[in-house]
Structure formats: C-alpha cells, structure tokens
Amino acid sequence: MKFLHWKKTGLFLLTVVALLALAACSSDDASGSSDTGEEPDKITAWAWDPNFNIAALELAKDAYEEDLDLEIIENAQDDIVQKLNTGLSSGSMKGMPNIVLIEDQRAQSFLQSYPDAFYPIGDYFNTDDFAPYKLAPTSLDGKQYGLPFDTGVTGLFFRTDYLEEAGYTKEDLTDITWEEYIEIGKDVKAKTGKDMISLDPNDLGILRVMIQSAGSWYVEDDGKTVNLVDNEPLKKAFENYKAMIEADFVKANSDWSQFIAAFNSGDVATVPSGNWIAPSIEAEASQAGKWEVAPIPRLDLDGAVNASNQGGSSFYVLNIPGKEKAAEFLGATFGSNEAFYQDLVLDVGALGTYAPAADGEAYQAENDYFSGQSVIADFSEWTEEIPSVNYGLHTYAIEDILAAEMQNYLKGKDLEAVLADAQAQAESQLK
C-alpha cells in the first residue's frame, strides 16, 4: 500500500512539473523571448501607431528578401515604456521583444539604465548614411544601439491666403527669427483677425523646438546635469513664449483633437511643427493649394539655425536569442534599402533619416496640396541641418516642472527666479 501511495504521489508530481514546464514554454512563446538561450522560431517587434510605425514594419517585412517569421505586435507607446521598464528592471528578459521602437527623447533613459539589455547594431548598417542629430540619442559609450527611423524635422506650415492678405510672402517667412515671427503674427492678427498659432499650455514642445535650433537642451552634453538656470536659449524661448501669449494671437488648445481643429477649421495662420503634422493638415481637402512650408524660425542667438526637431523614433534590438536575425533584418531594410524608403514615403507617408534615399523620385515629387512645393525634399534638406543634442534621461520630467513654472512666469514671476526654482526642483527630484 505504501508503495502504491508513493507511486501515485510520484506520478502526480511528475504531471504537475510537466504542466508547469508546458505553461512556461507557452508563456514564453506568446510574449516574446525565453531564457533558454535557444534561437527562436520567430522574431517579435513592438511598436505603436498602426498607420505609421506598424505600417512601416509591415512594409519592411515585405521588402526583406530573406526568410523571416516576423510577428509585429502593436502596443500604445506608454504601454511599451511601462513594459520595458517593468521587465528590464526585474532583471529578466522573459517576454521581451527582439525589436522595439523607442522615441528618441526617451532612448537614453533605457540605454543608460539597462545597457546590457540592448544589442549593439552598428556593424549592421553605415551610421554615416543617417542624419547626424539622430546618432547621439541612439548611441552610448561609442556603441550604436539604435537604427534611426523617422525624423521629427520641423517646418513652419502656413496659410498662403492669410499671409498674402496681411501683405506677406513665403520669402518673408524664410530664415526668420522667432522675434520676427512674433511681429509678423501681430500684423496678421490685426489685418485678418486670425490667430497665428495654437498652443497647449501644458505641452511645451514648442520650447524644445526653439532651444534645439540653438543646439541646447534641458541638460548638459553629459545628458545628466540639469541645465536650466544659465541656459540662454531656454531664457530666450521663455521670453518668446510669453511674447506670443501677450500678443494675443494664440488659440489655446487642451488636447490633440482641439489642436487639429484649430488649423482644419481655418482659425490659425501657421503651424510650426514636426513634418508628421502634414497628413493632418491635408485631411482638410477644402484647403488644398492654400498651404506651404517654410523653414522653422530660429532663436536670435549666435549659432542658431533655421532647423530643429520635434519627435522621431528609432529601432532597437534586445540582447536575447534571435538578436542577430533581428539586426540583419533592420540593417537590410531600414538601414540600407533606398527603394524601400521610396515606398515608405509613398505608401506610409513616413520620412526617414536615411540620407541616400533623398535623391529618389518620391522625395523630389511636388505636392499639389502644398501649392506644388517639393515638401519631402525640403524636409530632407532641413534634416541635415538639425543641431545634435543629448536629450538625456529626464526630458519629460523636467518639462513637467517647467510647465508649472511657465504659468508662474506668465503671471509675473521674474524669469531668473523661475529658472532658478525649476533648476532646484529638477535637481532635487532627479537625484
């Protein structure tokens, strides 16, 4: 009887162990990587936005000439950030994808916090083929971890009819300073009744556009030292922001839909933004032929240029089994395929930072909506001029502090005190 009881118990335990092992394998297969060290049957990729990033990956999958089982998994960007932080901080690579898309202004927080989690891919493509400003945020300690994808190169989208009514041409908006932009805005508002710009008081993206044109950021070149109180470009940006508010030509918005509505409804004369806003402008068919794009204004400081960036992301490979396959796929598509980049512009509307593609027909094509302007070619040219900066680890945390202090500044608080207090708060919170 004892032997029979032991035999039943042993069989039960073996069954439980087998089921647990099977469950573990199933979990690994469903979510991404396993810790076995074996080459996976398929490669997984995480990205957001089905009409842009996901569509670009699908296009790359079709263009890839090798046999590769690539599973593309859509996640919201915030979910990707959360999943990466949760998984990597646990010390386990279980469930991690082989390829992940990360916004450039967040990349250093991952690379510096989890350097061993990412696979260097600089040997799989020529970094010299990409816009220089994309390389700093995607590399660490001399190693290239990210393959640059889309550019956030900015432009000054403007309504030609409104500007002409106020007596201005595209030439008047070309290579100007923000101070000159503000003066033109006052004139446009007086003569047409139209606001010049729409801004969300809780989103200081326009400040980032301004300061990067002068090669500055919220942190020093080391990406860690907070740089607010003695940051001359940031001071200028604050002053310009306040001047726009006081000029009474800002149409306030509180979310993305209100921002889009501001120009689709014809309420504002200009949209200084990343190139990715173009499809949203073109969505209003009744305004076709009434828009053009000029270079983004610059800060009135020595060394500032009429080129800047807002947004943009890059692809990374996790240091897990399948990393070589993943890197080869990225290198052969996003890293070197000129024909693929032409399709990317035509089929997805995505403008990459791969310089050799700029000579292709898709990049040179005229856009009837934007008054026959070769918009993609112009954006490609401006991309090459964007100053490189180190975005560091805490762009958005610092910006939350600055957004609160901006409201104090608009209410009359001294600018030196505003930036000194923001500096102190940032240093205290980000130790």
Side-chain angles (χ1 to χ4, degrees):
M1 294 293 292
K2 287 183 179 180
F3 174 77
L4 183 60
H5 173 74
W6 177 90
K7 186 174 181 181
K8 288 182 178 179
T9 302
L11 288 171
F12 173 76
L13 290 173
L14 287 172
T15 302
V16 170
V17 170
L19 288 172
L20 288 174
L22 180 61
C25 291
S26 299
S27 175
D28 289 342
D29 289 342
S31 57
S33 72
S34 71
D35 288 341
T36 64
E38 297 178 359
E39 282 292 306
D41 293 329
K42 65 184 176 183
I43 300 298
T44 57
W46 288 358
W48 64 91
D49 193 341
N51 297 318
F52 194 83
N53 301 315
I54 299 292
L57 278 167
E58 293 285 2
L59 198 63
K61 181 179 178 180
D62 292 340
Y64 192 48
E65 297 179 354
E66 302 297 325
D67 184 23
L68 179 69
D69 185 2
L70 175 66
E71 181 182 11
I72 303 168
I73 302 172
E74 180 190 349
N75 289 272
Q77 183 182 176
D78 288 345
D79 291 341
I80 288 178
V81 171
Q82 182 180 15
K83 287 179 179 180
L84 284 178
N85 276 320
T86 300
L88 298 181
S89 64
S90 72
S92 171
M93 299 296 281
K94 271 190 177 180
M96 290 293 100
N98 300 96
I99 297 170
V100 64
L101 186 69
I102 301 177
E103 185 186 33
D104 292 338
Q105 292 169 7
R106 297 183 189 275
Q108 285 295 314
S109 65
F110 288 107
L111 294 179
Q112 294 189 35
S113 299
Y114 316 107
D116 295 335
F118 294 90
Y119 178 57
I121 58 175
D123 291 338
Y124 293 87
F125 65 98
N126 183 4
T127 56
D128 292 338
D129 285 339
F130 289 83
Y133 87 94
K134 290 281 281 189
L135 301 180
T138 57
S139 60
L140 180 67
D141 295 335
K143 295 181 180 179
Q144 186 66 36
Y145 289 94
L147 198 159
F149 176 37
D150 64 316
T151 176
V153 60
T154 52
L156 178 60
F157 295 82
F158 66 94
R159 282 286 296 265
T160 55
D161 51 345
Y162 295 166
L163 270 294
E164 287 171 4
E165 183 180 345
Y168 294 95
T169 66
K170 183 178 181 179
E171 185 177 353
D172 296 318
L173 294 179
T174 300
D175 296 338
I176 62 174
T177 65
W178 281 103
E179 288 80 1
E180 291 170 324
Y181 169 86
I182 292 168
E183 292 305 311
I184 293 172
K186 293 176 182 177
D187 207 21
V188 169
K189 180 66 179 283
K191 293 177 178 177
T192 70
K194 298 295 182 180
D195 286 322
M196 191 67 165
I197 189 175
S198 181
L199 294 172
D200 181 346
N202 296 312
D203 182 351
L204 297 185
I206 194 69
L207 259 64
R208 281 179 266 133
V209 172
M210 290 182 185
I211 64 177
Q212 187 164 356
S213 77
S216 181
W217 204 248
Y218 301 148
V219 290
E220 298 282 4
D221 289 341
D222 62 6
K224 299 178 181 179
T225 306
V226 179
N227 179 30
L228 305 179
V229 70
D230 294 320
N231 188 329
E232 190 62 28
L234 184 59
K235 291 179 184 178
K236 280 282 188 182
F238 261 71
E239 291 169 351
N240 288 332
Y241 190 98
K242 186 174 185 179
M244 286 193 283
I245 299 296
E246 292 179 342
D248 194 29
F249 61 55
V250 175
K251 182 177 181 62
N253 71 74
S254 59
D255 58 32
W256 178 256
S257 61
Q258 289 184 14
F259 172 57
I260 300 298
F263 50 80
N264 282 165
S265 63
D267 289 342
V268 296
T270 72
V271 184
S273 179
N275 69 94
W276 36 260
I277 202 62
S280 296
I281 292 176
E282 292 174 285
E284 182 51 59
S286 66
Q287 295 175 12
K290 296 180 180 180
W291 287 90
E292 288 189 48
V293 192
I296 199 74
R298 69 182 186 278
L299 289 178
D300 189 14
L301 292 171
D302 289 343
V305 297
N306 290 98
S308 192
N309 182 74
Q310 187 177 29
S313 54
S314 301
F315 290 105
Y316 295 81
V317 174
L318 276 295
N319 193 16
I320 58 177
K323 56 183 179 287
E324 293 89 356
K325 287 183 180 179
E328 288 167 1
F329 162 72
L330 289 176
T333 52
F334 293 96
S336 61
N337 191 328
E338 293 183 34
F340 162 69
Y341 272 98
Q342 306 307 307
D343 293 337
L344 201 57
V345 167
L346 295 173
D347 298 349
V348 181
L351 177 58
T353 52
Y354 180 61
D359 295 328
E361 290 185 7
Y363 279 62
Q364 304 304 317
E366 296 180 354
N367 187 315
D368 291 338
Y369 191 95
F370 291 101
S371 308
Q373 182 177 353
S374 297
V375 176
I376 299 299
D378 287 341
F379 276 128
S380 296
E381 179 182 338
W382 301 335
T383 295
E384 295 299 315
E385 301 169 8
I386 298 172
S388 297
V389 298
N390 190 331
Y391 296 130
L393 285 70
H394 305 296
T395 290
Y396 294 106
I398 293 174
E399 193 159 286
D400 286 343
I401 295 169
L402 288 174
E405 284 297 333
M406 175 63 82
Q407 296 307 307
N408 293 331
Y409 176 52
L410 296 177
K411 293 174 183 176
K413 185 175 178 179
D414 178 72
L415 181 54
E416 294 293 337
V418 162
L419 295 180
D421 288 350
Q423 176 94 15
Q425 291 178 55
E427 290 176 343
S428 174
Q429 293 182 24
L430 305 176
K431 287 181 179 178

